[in-house]
Amino acid sequence: MNRRSADPSPPTGTQHVIAAHGYRAVVTEVGAGLRALTFRDRPLVMSYPEGKPPVGGAGQLLLPWPNRVRNGRYGADGETRQLSITEPRTGNAAHGFTRVLPWTVLDAAEDAVRLGLRLFPQPGYPHVLDLTASYALGEAGLEVEVSAVNVGEGVAPYGMGAHPYLTLGEIAAPETGHGTEHGTGHGAVDEAVLELPAAEWAPVDEQQIPVGRRTVEGTEYDFRAGRRIGGVVLDTPFANLERDAGGRVRARLRTADGSRGVELWGGPGIEWLQVFTGDTLAAPYRRSGVAVEPMSCPPNAFATGECLLRLAPGERAAHRWGITALPADGA
């Protein structure tokens, strides 16, 4: 189901609403982002009003690279390429190109929507990609598949990322289109219990670029057994992820009493999780949700090549991730 607002047009374009099994999601035309997700009216992600742009990248897809490229510079095909600097405070190219571009609906139903975008060459990226983003709701919640096909010439460097903020709040941001209210009721993260199946974390420099890896053992970054976040400040890449028997990585955010929670899972090819406690966001969003960002590669992968995919002409890559409401027992 699509819902087009009256003029003026929302900053994120047409709002595609899907619903099933108690879940409801809103996917945006601009960026094919996840603006809202609820289960039985309980928000599972930090949402933002329809009449506002995304807050802190909330719900956006990050293509054809997640996170940052140092100074926007990388080498390919024997040459140095220069991407546009889109994050002036760090001097980096951040989060790809597609989060500000309009996507086209390819298929739509009450419980699913699939959007597509042909990404033509951009400064520093002389490739053509056909991208799709599929959102579907089932009994297990939201499942997202993001795919890319190289339909141009040459080998295209590629990475996938997404930027949902998990929340334990009870009241979603308002669905009104153009008011000034930002939304309330997002639970503060300090009392939340975070479970993160990552054995390593990556310290970053002043440009938010990783400088090696370290074990989480004995540090404030060890959330493998699940513990209260407290005052820990995170804008941190995590790696060496533990998977279940089905090959999925599962990160969870719960209330201290276990009465409610939310899980983000990532399928094969999701090799990193960037976790951000939202400390730099303006009120009322500051530390009101935890961004758990599934990524196929780490920050600066275009330059380092770590976990980077290189798509030959005609080659396709696909990644899946999803979000599920947790019951009171945390099962």
Side-chain angles (χ1 to χ4, degrees):
M1 178 188 301
N2 300 341
R3 180 165 55 84
R4 185 178 295 277
S5 298
D7 290 336
S9 179
T12 53
T14 302
Q15 308 293 296
H16 306 293
V17 181
I18 58 175
H21 303 284
Y23 289 90
R24 179 181 184 272
V26 182
V27 179
T28 62
E29 173 188 7
V30 175
L34 179 65
R35 187 171 68 80
L37 176 66
T38 59
F39 177 65
R40 297 175 181 169
D41 296 324
R42 171 167 67 92
L44 303 180
V45 300
M46 189 182 81
S47 59
Y48 57 93
E50 180 180 323
K52 300 291 183 179
V55 176
Q60 293 184 321
L61 297 181
L62 316 176
L63 305 165
W65 75 87
N67 214 284
R68 297 165 176 89
V69 178
R70 186 191 296 280
N71 302 323
R73 193 172 299 121
Y74 70 103
D77 296 332
E79 63 181 14
T80 298
R81 295 179 179 174
Q82 180 63 58
L83 302 163
S84 297
I85 302 303
T86 54
E87 191 177 58
R89 69 178 180 86
T90 63
N92 295 322
H95 295 325
F97 306 112
T98 68
R99 59 186 182 145
V100 297
L101 298 177
W103 292 56
T104 300
V105 174
L106 303 178
D107 299 293
E110 292 294 320
D111 60 353
V113 63
R114 184 168 67 97
L115 299 98
L117 170 70
R118 174 157 288 185
L119 178 66
F120 288 102
Q122 303 289 321
Y125 194 80
H127 304 288
V128 184
L129 301 179
D130 272 353
L131 303 168
T132 62
S134 300
Y135 292 83
L137 294 173
E139 293 183 359
L142 176 69
E143 180 169 334
V144 185
E145 180 182 84
V146 180
S147 70
V149 180
N150 182 356
V151 294
E153 297 180 352
V155 176
Y158 176 77
M160 191 287 304
H163 208 299
Y165 288 77
L166 305 184
T167 187
L168 299 172
E170 294 181 303
I171 304 174
E175 291 294 326
T176 55
H178 310 291
T180 58
E181 186 179 3
H182 286 280
T184 58
H186 298 293
V189 306
D190 300 57
E191 299 302 319
V193 174
L194 175 64
E195 181 181 338
L196 192 67
E200 294 180 323
W201 68 286
V204 298
D205 62 17
E206 67 279 358
Q207 286 184 279
Q208 294 296 105
I209 300 298
V211 287
R213 295 196 204 182
R214 297 179 185 174
T215 178
V216 300
E217 187 73 38
T219 74
E220 65 179 352
Y221 302 101
D222 190 352
F223 291 93
R224 290 174 294 181
R227 64 179 178 85
R228 180 177 171 271
I229 295 173
V232 175
V233 175
L234 299 173
D235 193 357
T236 308
F238 288 87
N240 196 358
L241 306 177
E242 180 182 349
R243 301 179 184 275
D244 63 17
R248 290 184 173 183
V249 174
R250 298 181 184 273
R252 293 171 171 173
L253 192 71
R254 295 194 184 96
T255 56
D257 63 4
S259 62
R260 63 185 185 275
V262 57
E263 173 185 277
L264 181 139
W265 60 265
I270 301 299
E271 303 294 341
W272 290 75
L273 295 174
Q274 178 87 12
V275 181
F276 174 46
T277 44
D279 298 83
T280 59
L281 303 184
Y285 294 103
R286 181 182 179 275
R287 291 184 72 84
S288 65
V290 179
V292 180
E293 307 168 36
M295 305 189 303
S296 65
C297 57
N300 207 35
F302 267 31
T304 66
E306 185 173 6
C307 299
L308 185 66
L309 296 176
R310 293 178 172 86
L311 301 180
E315 189 173 4
R316 178 180 185 268
H319 296 89
R320 292 183 176 86
W321 59 276
I323 297 174
T324 304
L326 294 178
D329 62 4

